[in-house]
């Protein structure tokens, strides 16, 4: 997945052109910048590639989620439905606004189970936030039907699946809002950066203002701008955006490499009795950043993971035991450890996750192994890796 593997001349040239003017900020300094607006340029490229009217670049994927939520008016006490399998940024962005993360089971797509989503809706629910983990997507069609029925927003976290699609639409563009991360280990990177996309002009305008202290960006005298509402600073720098300008042009090339490598690995382990694959919902095309498969039991999955690592199959993950990505290890969330006092809405109404039953999620995650698909492998390396996976897994099963 990581775009940093193929960091080359175009990235360097883009950064150099920013260094040549010395204007590292995305707003203002019109006279000095020699016509260069890297953040704007990247927003235009993303808008085109994602077939979406509006794009707001920000400083990270986590910032994109926060700004997306706030741009749609989400605040203290609002409930946001999110999956048990995701990155910690999901609940961080929700809690940052005093809103309440409502954890919901996943299914064999390794993303939100639509039936569990519907069962979790209350009078406070405002948003359903599917997270397209490890290269593939949630059943967006089913989730959209639920959101329309209950008048909820659909916010896609497409940070790990950029370049994939659903019913012909780029992932991130199917819901009301979509978010991407360009951190250092994502399919395309800016070093640090993120973006939200939407066809809703009001949300976009709110995001544009909010991410820059509430500045209205009217006129060309920054000091004289007014502030229609409170904001924050989630700006991206021109240096980061410049790297993104080079990388976004390579997105389709990167996805094609991932698909090629993924297919080699998948073919090797297809047909081994006991190995099954993560379900990709009908109408979906993954970005192939991970190969995700199930083993018959939790015990066998754990043992297989250990054996794969021992045999040199690195970048291989057993999320069930992972600190970052599965609810079981989110003790700081479940016991609400915060530096300062949290909003009353959160401390009083956050469900007691130490007592929750997520056995349906455990059923899938306990048996899941994910293998990262790299961009820089040679054909020989991929073939060797596939053969190694086949022999290690066959031996155990
Ligand atoms: C990386 C990631 C984020 C957050 O992105 P940052 O740019 O690292 O803040 C959010 N959600 C998912 C699923 C991610 O993988």
């Amino acid at each position: 997945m990581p775009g940093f593997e193929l960091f080359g001349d175009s990235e360097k040239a883009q950064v150099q052109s920013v260094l040549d003017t010395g204007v590292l900020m995305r707003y203002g300094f019109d006279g000095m910048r020699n016509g260069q607006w890297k953040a704007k340029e990247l927003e235009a490229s993303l808008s085109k590639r994602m077939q979406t009217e509006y794009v707001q670049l920000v400083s990270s994927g986590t910032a994109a989620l926060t700004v997306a939520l706030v741009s749609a008016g989400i605040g203290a006490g609002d409930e946001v439905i999110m999956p048990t399998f995701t990155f910690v940024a999901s609940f961080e962005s929700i809690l940052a606004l005093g809103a309440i993360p409502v954890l919901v089971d996943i299914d064999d797509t390794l993303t939100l189970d639509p039936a569990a989503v519907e069962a979790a809706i209350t009078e406070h629910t405002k948003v359903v936030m599917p997270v397209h983990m490890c290269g593939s997507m949630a059943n967006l069609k089913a989730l959209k039907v639920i959101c329309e029925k209950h008048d909820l927003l659909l916010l896609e976290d497409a940070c790990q699946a950029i370049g994939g699609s659903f019913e012909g639409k780029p992932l991130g563009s199917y819901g009301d809002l979509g978010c991407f991360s360009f951190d250092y280990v994502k399919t395309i990177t800016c070093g640090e950066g993120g973006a939200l996309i939407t066809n809703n002009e009001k949300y976009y305008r709110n995001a544009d203002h909010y991410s820059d202290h509430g500045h209205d960006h009217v006129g060309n005298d920054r000091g004289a701008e007014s502030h229609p509402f409170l904001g924050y600073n989630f700006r991206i720098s021109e240096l980061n955006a410049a790297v993104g300008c080079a990388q976004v042009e390579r997105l389709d090339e990167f996805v094609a490499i991932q698909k090629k490598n993924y297919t080699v690995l998948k073919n090797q382990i297809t047909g081994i009795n006991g190995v099954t694959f993560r379900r990709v919902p009908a109408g979906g095309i993954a970005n192939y950043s991970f190969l995700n498969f199930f083993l018959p039991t939790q015990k066998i999955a754990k043992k297989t993971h250990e054996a794969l690592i021992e045999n040199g199959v690195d970048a291989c993950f057993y999320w069930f035991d992972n600190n970052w990505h599965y609810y079981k290890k989110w003790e700081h969330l479940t016991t609400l450890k915060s530096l300062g006092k949290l909003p009353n809405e959160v401390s009083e109404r956050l469900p007691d996750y130490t007592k929750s039953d997520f056995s349906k999620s455990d059923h899938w995650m306990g048996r899941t192994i994910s293998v990262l698909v790299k961009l820089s492998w040679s054909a020989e390396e991929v073939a060797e890796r596939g053969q190694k996976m086949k022999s290690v897994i066959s031996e155990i099963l």
Side-chain angles (χ1 to χ4, degrees), residues 305-357:
H305 176 250
E306 282 162 9
L308 285 168
I309 297 284
E310 264 166 36
N311 283 276
V313 181
D314 62 350
C316 165
F317 302 94
Y318 182 55
W319 305 116
F320 194 66
D321 277 350
N322 181 285
N323 284 346
W324 288 70
H325 291 83
Y326 197 48
Y327 82 93
K328 274 189 178 305
K329 294 288 174 82
W330 297 337
E331 242 177 67
H332 57 323
L333 170 68
T334 54
T335 58
L336 266 188
K337 286 202 182 88
S338 67
L339 287 174
K341 189 177 169 301
L342 288 162
N344 291 342
E345 286 86 351
V346 173
S347 46
E348 285 164 14
R349 295 214 346 255
L350 188 84
D352 183 356
Y353 290 124
T354 60
K355 296 197 175 74
S356 298
D357 173 12

Side-chain angles (χ1 to χ4, degrees), residues 60-62 65 86-87 89 131 133 157 159-160 181-183 186 193:
S60 71
T62 312
L65 292 167
T86 179
F87 182 55
V131 184
M133 286 298 279
D157 177 340
C159 293
Q160 292 195 13
S181 163
F182 308 121
D183 80 20
K186 296 304 199 287

Side-chain angles (χ1 to χ4, degrees), residues 7 50 135 153 219 222 224 262 271 294 313 361 388:
F7 188 90
M50 298 306 162
L153 283 173
R222 191 169 161 78
Y262 170 103
F294 303 119
V313 181
S361 301
K388 216 179 267 175

Side-chain angles (χ1 to χ4, degrees), residues 217-239:
H217 298 147
V218 173
N220 55 7
D221 179 359
R222 191 169 161 78
E225 289 176 16
S226 67
H227 304 87
F229 49 77
L230 294 167
Y232 202 76
N233 178 3
F234 286 119
R235 289 190 308 257
I236 192 166
S237 88
E238 285 286 277
L239 285 172

Side-chain angles (χ1 to χ4, degrees), residues 2 56 70 85 91 101 117 131 152 169-170 183 194 212 253 269 280 299 310 348 351 395:
Q56 180 65 45
V70 85
F85 174 47
F91 59 76
V117 168
V131 184
L152 306 174
K169 292 189 170 142
D183 80 20
D212 184 26
E253 171 198 339
I269 63 168
V280 178
K299 211 168 143 192
E310 264 166 36
E348 285 164 14
E395 196 161 311

